Amino acid sequence: MDSLFSHAAGDADSPGPEAPREVVSVELQIPGDAASAAEGFFDYLHLWWPVNLYSVSGSGAQLWWDQAGLLEDTERDERVQLGASLLWSPPQGAAVKMGVPGAEGDEWEVRIEDRGVAAHVTFTAPLPRHQPGQEAQPVPTDLWEQVMGFYARFMGAGKD
């Protein structure tokens, strides 16, 4: 018997749940020790983060980090929190987890460890479906590889 209700479960026209997003992990070897690699990542974030690839307000914005999380200052003198710290364990290297506001369950993780003559950096995050606050603006599928490539070049290393 056909359903009496046009919105009944199993209706072919109803959209299904969104597919899970790909989680990307990028690993780098950075010359020097873990403390220097962490300093370059967190203290100098505003110098290397490509805001044209991932930010709320695009070029002209500055990203920066403090113990509360990842913040963006826009050209309009607004401050936007892009991520909240869930775990913060400096100073000898770092292990950081960030929750992403508006994307419950999404976490970014940065791990920086000493490995002999180089620091080993691992950045893990789900690939966003779009730019923050810009649903119509998709992100490239190699977004995190591109972002971490900027960090590697800033620190004088190649990407592994």
Side-chain angles (χ1 to χ4, degrees):
M1 175 178 209
D2 290 329
S3 174
L4 297 174
F5 303 103
S6 62
H7 63 281
D11 191 8
D13 294 333
S14 65
E18 288 187 348
R21 290 182 293 150
E22 177 184 1
V23 174
V24 176
S25 187
V26 180
E27 296 188 30
L28 306 168
Q29 299 298 324
I30 301 297
D33 63 10
S36 296
E39 179 182 30
F41 193 96
F42 297 107
D43 294 347
Y44 299 109
L45 182 72
H46 63 285
L47 296 176
W48 64 264
W49 187 276
V51 294
N52 59 321
L53 288 178
Y54 191 78
S55 73
V56 171
S57 57
S59 60
Q62 276 200 337
L63 268 65
W64 55 282
W65 176 268
D66 70 12
Q67 290 182 0
L70 181 63
L71 303 156
E72 178 176 329
D73 289 337
T74 71
E75 285 186 307
R76 297 177 305 279
D77 293 326
E78 299 169 344
R79 180 161 292 158
V80 179
Q81 186 166 13
L82 296 178
S85 294
L86 304 175
L87 168 72
W88 173 250
S89 65
Q92 301 303 316
V96 175
K97 280 192 178 182
M98 275 188 309
V100 181
E104 283 63 33
D106 281 1
E107 289 183 358
W108 296 7
E109 183 176 17
V110 179
R111 290 199 172 276
I112 302 174
E113 308 169 313
D114 273 321
R115 297 253 178 110
V117 297
H120 184 79
V121 178
T122 306
F123 177 86
T124 305
L127 187 63
R129 295 186 200 291
H130 53 78
Q131 287 283 350
Q134 302 173 31
E135 286 71 23
Q137 181 66 34
V139 298
T141 57
D142 64 344
L143 171 71
W144 297 133
E145 289 89 349
Q146 288 185 51
V147 168
M148 293 306 290
F150 277 84
Y151 169 67
R153 285 187 296 280
F154 177 76
M155 295 300 293
K159 196 177 98 153
D160 283 353

